[in-house]
């Protein structure tokens, strides 16, 4: 049995990723923080190839406890694919940004990446195989006004991806980031889609499934020579 963990897997890109990985033959561990109803919908889409594992990735102790318990209950298995997808937006201009909004965005996206990844790397190294796929953003590549916290978090993910890839490539573990542009999810609700489409050469927002297909490719043996890269999926937006 091949196992893949998707953090923030209950909705949007996370949900599409869980479904696509399940279709590709993985038993998907669907992580979420609190929205059990949405996580159960994702589980249904995995059609028997999934399980729920709730914990807050920003809570280091809760993360360690949940993943350690999973490993102890699966002594003959390991999580070979990790998709660090969990993240939130709390947009505001820097001058008016509450300190809590700065820390919360970085704690979930950047510290969450650290909390989860450090626990799973040893088993990947032991088995000399692994795939770590980090969800970055257009905002992390070029910066976006009103998203200093989000840009900082996603930019940090990109830099960490490149550094970690160099550390563990010899163990046949790849580390890559995906930088979506405007994708139709809860994260882009409230944006002026009609106006923003005019900026996009493809003249549309992307679908979560398009991002998920890229995740599945990077998770596969076919992507074994791709590591330390940031792949944009944005309809041609300049980055």
């Amino acid at each position: 049995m091949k196992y893949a963990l998707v953090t923030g897997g209950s909705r949007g890109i996370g949900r599409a990723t869980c479904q696509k990985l399940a279709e590709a033959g993985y038993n998907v561990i669907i992580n979420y923080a609190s929205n059990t109803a949405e996580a159960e919908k994702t589980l249904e889409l995995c059609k028997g190839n999934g399980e729920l594992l709730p914990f807050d990735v920003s809570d280091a102790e809760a993360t360690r406890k949940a993943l350690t318990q999973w490993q102890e209950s699966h002594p003959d298995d390991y999580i070979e694919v990790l998709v660090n997808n969990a993240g939130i937006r709390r947009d505001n201009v820097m001058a008016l940004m509450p300190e809590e909004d700065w820390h919360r965005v970085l704690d979930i996206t950047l510290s969450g990446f650290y909390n989860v990844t450090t626990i799973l790397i040893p088993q990947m190294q032991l088995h000399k195989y692994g795939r770590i796929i980090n969800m970055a953003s257009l905002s992390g590549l070029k910066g976006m006004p009103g998203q200093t916290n989000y840009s900082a978090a996603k930019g940090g993910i990109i830099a960490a991806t490149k550094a970690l890839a160099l550390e563990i490539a010899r163990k046949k573990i790849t580390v890559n980031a995906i930088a979506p542009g405007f994708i139709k999810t809860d994260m882009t609700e409230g944006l002026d889609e009609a106006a923003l489409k005019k900026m996009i050469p493809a003249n549309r927002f992307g679908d979560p499934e398009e991002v998920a297909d890229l995740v599945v490719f990077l998770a596969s043996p076919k992507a074994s020579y791709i590591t330390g890269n940031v792949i944009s999926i944005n309809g041609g937006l300049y980055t």
Side-chain angles (χ1 to χ4, degrees):
M1 181 69 73
K2 300 186 298 180
Y3 286 91
L5 168 64
V6 180
T7 68
S10 63
R11 294 180 295 174
I13 291 173
R15 171 177 287 172
T17 298
C18 289
Q19 184 178 2
K20 292 284 187 176
L21 285 170
E23 290 172 358
Y26 290 92
N27 194 70
V28 183
I29 304 163
I30 304 161
N31 161 257
Y32 64 101
S34 58
N35 197 332
T36 303
E38 292 298 322
E40 287 177 345
K41 291 178 183 177
T42 302
L43 182 61
E44 290 178 11
L45 292 171
C46 291
K47 297 181 179 179
N49 288 336
E51 58 185 278
L52 301 181
L53 190 64
F55 61 88
D56 180 351
V57 298
S58 70
D59 185 330
E61 183 55 37
T63 300
R64 180 170 298 278
K65 181 179 179 180
L67 292 176
T68 299
Q69 287 179 345
W70 187 93
Q71 289 173 332
E72 290 173 349
S73 65
H74 297 75
D76 299 323
D77 301 305
Y78 82 107
I79 296 169
E80 69 175 57
V81 174
L82 167 60
V83 183
N84 285 302
N85 172 71
I88 63 168
R89 277 177 45 209
R90 288 189 178 175
D91 295 352
N92 209 332
V93 295
M94 185 79 169
L96 301 177
M97 184 177 292
E99 183 178 352
E100 177 187 352
D101 288 358
W102 172 267
H103 288 293
R104 190 62 181 148
V105 169
L106 267 76
D107 285 348
I108 292 176
T109 298
L110 197 52
S111 296
F113 153 80
Y114 170 83
N115 293 339
V116 176
T117 307
T118 52
I119 296 171
L120 300 187
I121 284 176
Q123 285 295 310
M124 292 183 183
Q125 291 175 315
L126 179 64
H127 289 85
K128 295 183 179 179
Y129 184 88
R131 297 285 186 265
I132 299 171
I133 302 157
N134 302 317
M135 204 58 64
S137 170
L138 171 68
S139 185
L141 286 170
K142 69 187 296 287
M144 297 289 282
Q147 290 191 336
T148 308
N149 50 0
Y150 191 70
S151 292
K154 294 300 189 178
I157 283 288
I158 288 169
T161 294
K162 295 180 178 182
L164 181 59
L166 300 179
E167 294 178 3
I168 58 180
R170 290 183 181 273
K171 294 292 186 179
K172 298 182 180 179
I173 304 167
T174 65
V175 189
N176 291 290
I178 296 173
F182 294 105
I183 308 296
K184 291 182 181 178
T185 68
D186 293 348
M187 293 279 279
T188 57
E189 281 186 4
L191 299 181
D192 188 343
E193 183 174 349
L196 290 170
K197 282 196 305 183
K198 297 176 182 177
M199 300 166 45
I200 305 169
N203 197 36
R204 66 177 179 87
F205 278 20
D207 294 320
E209 291 75 18
E210 293 175 296
V211 181
D213 283 333
L214 178 54
V215 172
V216 173
F217 170 71
L218 291 174
S220 74
K222 295 178 181 179
S224 61
Y225 204 53
I226 302 173
T227 195
N229 282 278
V230 183
I231 302 174
S232 293
I233 179 166
N234 58 27
L237 272 172
Y238 175 72
T239 56

